[in-house]
Amino acid sequence: MHVLNQDTIWIVLSEGLTGGVFRTTNSGLNWTQQFSQLGANPTNIYFYNGSTGFISLNTGASYVRRTTNSGLNWTTVVNGEGFTDMHFTDSLTGWRSYGLMKKTTNGGVNWVTQSLPSQTGLSQITKFSVLNKDTIWGVNGYYVYPNNQGRGVLL
């Protein structure tokens, strides 16, 4: 689910037959299906504003799709990857995580892998929060010590 304001809410339902992307503009009284793909409905959604948003499927034929017209049309911008979390600081600059951390500077058309601290046994970020364009806090990292004891990591 992604809530833009008290009236506009977006949800995704990954169920193959009745799922898809749905939007309400009246606080949930009515819902309109904005996208459906039989057997490949999205698992995640993020909207930067009322017109620009992203959906992803994170299993099987993974993808990231983008709309710039409030969900009327969706364009595939990434094949073979999805996202578990996404945040933008402005209309051009954003980040998405799906194991690796990726950054875009052109509104999500292209994505570049971001370096994380290099340490043996450190897994990737799944969820994160953007404080500003220079500071991101990431969670769900996990470090395995040589004696096989694990500890969560905040990056």
Side-chain angles (χ1 to χ4, degrees), residues 111-131:
W111 297 88
V112 176
T113 300
Q114 298 294 282
S115 297
L116 295 176
S118 178
Q119 194 168 0
T120 304
L122 183 62
S123 67
Q124 306 296 330
I125 289 178
T126 325
K127 293 288 191 180
F128 65 98
S129 184
V130 175
L131 183 61

Side-chain angles (χ1 to χ4, degrees), residues 7 10 15-16 18 20 34 36-37 45 47 53 57-58 74 82 89 97 107-108 110-111 124 128 132 141-142:
D7 296 320
W10 291 84
E15 198 280 320
T18 59
Q34 298 292 114
S36 180
Q37 184 172 328
I45 188 164
F47 265 77
L57 175 66
N58 292 345
W74 295 88
T89 55
S97 62
N110 302 102
W111 297 88
Q124 306 296 330
F128 65 98
N132 57 47
Y142 191 77

Side-chain angles (χ1 to χ4, degrees), residues 17-31:
L17 295 175
T18 59
V21 178
F22 300 87
R23 177 182 71 166
T24 182
T25 56
N26 59 11
S27 301
L29 293 175
N30 304 98
W31 292 87

Side-chain angles (χ1 to χ4, degrees), residues 35-114:
F35 174 85
S36 180
Q37 184 172 328
L38 186 63
N41 284 315
T43 52
N44 291 294
I45 188 164
Y46 172 81
F47 265 77
Y48 169 68
N49 58 30
S51 60
T52 303
F54 298 84
I55 56 175
S56 76
L57 175 66
N58 292 345
T59 60
S62 298
Y63 60 74
V64 175
R65 293 193 174 132
R66 179 178 78 143
T67 184
T68 56
N69 59 8
S70 301
L72 295 175
N73 303 100
W74 295 88
T75 303
T76 301
V77 292
V78 178
N79 273 312
E81 296 178 9
F83 66 83
T84 54
D85 206 359
M86 181 181 286
H87 297 278
F88 275 68
T89 55
D90 58 45
S91 63
L92 297 175
T93 306
W95 295 264
R96 70 178 170 92
S97 62
Y98 185 60
L100 297 175
M101 190 69 151
K102 305 266 181 142
K103 181 180 180 181
T104 183
T105 56
N106 61 5
V109 176
N110 302 102
W111 297 88
V112 176
T113 300
Q114 298 294 282

